[in-house]
Amino acid sequence: MKGSKKALITGITGQDGSYLADLLMEKGYEVHGIIRRASVPNTWRIDHLIDPSGTPTERFFLHYGDLTDASVLNRLLRTIRPDEIYHLGAQSFVRGSFDIPEYTLNVTGIGTLRILDAMRDAGLNHTRFYQASSSEMYGDVLEMPQTETTPFNPRSPYGIAKVAAHWTAKNYRDGYGMFASNGILFNHESPRRGELFVTKKITKAIANILVGKQDKLYLGNLEARRDWGYAPEYVEAMWLMLQADKPDDFVIATGEDHSVREFLERAFDYAGLDWKKYVEIDPAHFRPTEVNKLRGDASKAKKVLGWAPKIKFEKLVKLMVDEDLKEAGVSAKHRPIKQKALKEKSMKTKS
């Protein structure tokens, strides 16, 4: 569409990429996404944006590429010349990063360098760049809650790779005057969350148990605490960062932390199940080095961007369970979360 902004999204087939594509399409952007060639299609999150005939739509285009291939990235940037780049692509499974550390650093860390250097080579002086940084960079946290100035102390190859990407974006901002902003996003979930992630493993297992497809759920550390938010709200924060007057770093979080055990209890209770009858702890799911507690302070994002979370933990759990039950065709005859119990637990958590 002539006159509309062009945006390029890496990682467009993922949870965040798909929600961001939806948001940008609603705002009238011409949206381009980079996808990897694969023997099994992985576009289910964005299929609603793709023309059924397979031909390009007026404002939505997909391009084959890979974050390990600098020549392709350079060629795509010179051809598309986007106004905004949202770099979400990564090897994003933290537990898996211990098994493939070199690949994780190559894709998640050096992949960011390749894109930023391609921007510089292509002369995209006015293009705005968003780097998807992560709360995993804080690792074994040195202060609570975590802010934009909290020192990084990563505890996984994924966290290390994200720190490299974060500092690369900042270096290109400071050294070359590029509009490069880092969004330090804490955990954010949705019905589109990948099934390797613990929240989705839990809600998907509930649906499978109710339809008789599964009788056990194997998990690791139930005491790990995370700051969980809602993905569609977090991609709006990404967009706001690139509409700001100047580039900067922003923590995006709810300001609450809850344990995996709490998520497990709330989800199973909402579905009318006793989680203790179905869940077993499997040492294989523990990380070699754990991150025990993360909680972010998004005060800066609220002040500068006007962003604040609306959907928090309790509603997020219900939303994810409901969606998986619906997909499984399960009747929604499950008892509601006990509000009194939830308030009591929430009070204990805050104290």
Side-chain angles (χ1 to χ4, degrees):
M1 183 178 290
K2 194 173 182 179
S4 63
K5 278 187 179 181
K6 288 184 185 180
L8 174 65
I9 303 173
T10 70
I12 195 169
T13 59
Q15 170 188 253
D16 292 5
S18 65
Y19 282 122
L20 180 60
D22 289 341
L23 177 69
L24 296 179
M25 290 292 285
E26 289 171 7
K27 292 183 178 295
Y29 279 66
E30 178 179 308
V31 177
H32 295 256
I34 297 177
I35 62 173
R36 288 179 297 168
R37 284 195 178 274
S39 57
V40 179
N42 185 34
T43 59
W44 62 270
R45 294 183 180 93
I46 55 172
D47 280 345
H48 61 286
L49 297 174
I50 301 173
D51 188 282
S53 68
T55 58
T57 61
E58 184 181 10
R59 292 191 292 114
F60 187 73
F61 306 88
L62 296 177
H63 309 267
Y64 286 114
D66 196 292
L67 292 173
T68 63
D69 191 334
S71 63
V72 170
L73 295 175
N74 200 304
R75 183 165 65 250
L76 286 174
L77 292 190
R78 288 177 181 276
T79 302
I80 300 168
R81 305 196 73 80
D83 300 291
E84 298 171 2
I85 296 175
Y86 296 87
H87 178 40
L88 315 183
Q91 190 300 101
S92 59
F93 185 39
V94 179
R95 177 62 187 85
S97 74
F98 288 95
D99 300 321
I100 47 173
E102 181 182 338
Y103 176 77
T104 299
L105 188 59
N106 189 9
V107 173
T108 306
I110 301 175
T112 303
L113 172 66
R114 292 186 183 105
I115 291 185
L116 286 164
D117 223 40
M119 288 174 64
R120 198 162 68 92
D121 286 346
L124 300 181
N125 301 320
H126 301 293
T127 297
R128 299 189 168 198
F129 178 84
Y130 170 82
Q131 160 59 23
S133 292
S134 167
S135 59
E136 286 288 331
M137 299 188 303
Y138 296 118
D140 190 8
V141 297
L142 300 176
E143 65 180 26
M144 290 290 294
Q146 295 84 57
T147 70
E148 293 80 7
T149 60
T150 301
F152 299 137
N153 192 22
R155 297 273 285 173
S156 67
Y158 172 79
I160 293 167
K162 280 293 186 181
V163 169
H166 179 95
W167 283 112
T168 300
K170 190 175 187 307
N171 184 254
Y172 273 66
R173 178 172 76 207
D174 296 341
Y176 303 114
M178 296 173 69
F179 193 110
S181 287
N182 288 303
I184 309 173
L185 273 58
F186 281 63
N187 292 60
H188 45 288
E189 318 300 313
S190 75
R192 296 183 189 177
R193 192 55 147 151
E195 293 183 18
L196 289 175
F197 295 87
V198 67
T199 52
K200 186 66 171 181
K201 283 179 70 174
I202 291 169
T203 59
K204 189 75 172 179
I206 288 170
N208 286 339
I209 288 167
L210 289 174
V211 297
K213 290 184 178 180
Q214 187 172 341
D215 57 10
K216 288 293 179 184
L217 171 61
Y218 296 94
L219 297 174
N221 182 13
L222 300 187
E223 308 314 320
R225 303 186 69 86
R226 295 292 185 269
D227 185 327
W228 276 303
Y230 186 45
E233 294 180 349
Y234 282 42
V235 301
E236 183 181 14
M238 299 175 190
W239 178 77
L240 288 170
M241 288 180 213
L242 295 199
Q243 313 315 307
D245 293 333
K246 61 180 182 179
D248 208 340
D249 305 330
F250 295 93
V251 163
I252 303 299
T254 69
E256 300 177 3
D257 63 90
H258 299 271
S259 68
V260 175
R261 184 185 297 273
E262 286 178 73
F263 194 102
L264 186 65
E265 290 174 345
R266 311 291 171 84
F268 271 77
D269 186 58
Y270 180 66
L273 297 172
D274 180 358
W275 70 271
K276 293 178 182 177
K277 294 180 179 179
Y278 303 97
V279 176
E280 291 188 9
I281 303 302
D282 183 352
H285 293 292
F286 281 80
R287 302 177 187 177
T289 48
E290 289 284 348
V291 173
N292 294 317
K293 187 174 183 177
L294 295 171
R295 184 173 80 244
D297 179 354
S299 298
K300 181 178 176 181
K302 183 176 182 180
K303 180 180 179 181
V304 178
L305 305 176
W307 181 90
K310 300 180 183 67
I311 293 178
K312 295 191 178 181
F313 186 69
E314 315 297 349
K315 190 172 181 180
L316 177 64
V317 173
K318 177 181 180 296
L319 186 152
M320 290 185 68
V321 173
D322 277 339
E323 187 65 27
D324 278 329
L325 291 180
K326 179 181 176 182
E327 186 176 324
V330 180
S331 174
K333 292 180 180 178
H334 44 269
R335 56 196 167 114
I337 295 177
K338 299 173 184 175
Q339 295 299 327
K340 184 177 179 181
L342 291 184
K343 286 181 181 178
E344 290 174 354
K345 290 178 180 177
S346 180
M347 292 286 286
K348 290 179 182 178
T349 299
K350 291 179 181 178
S351 63

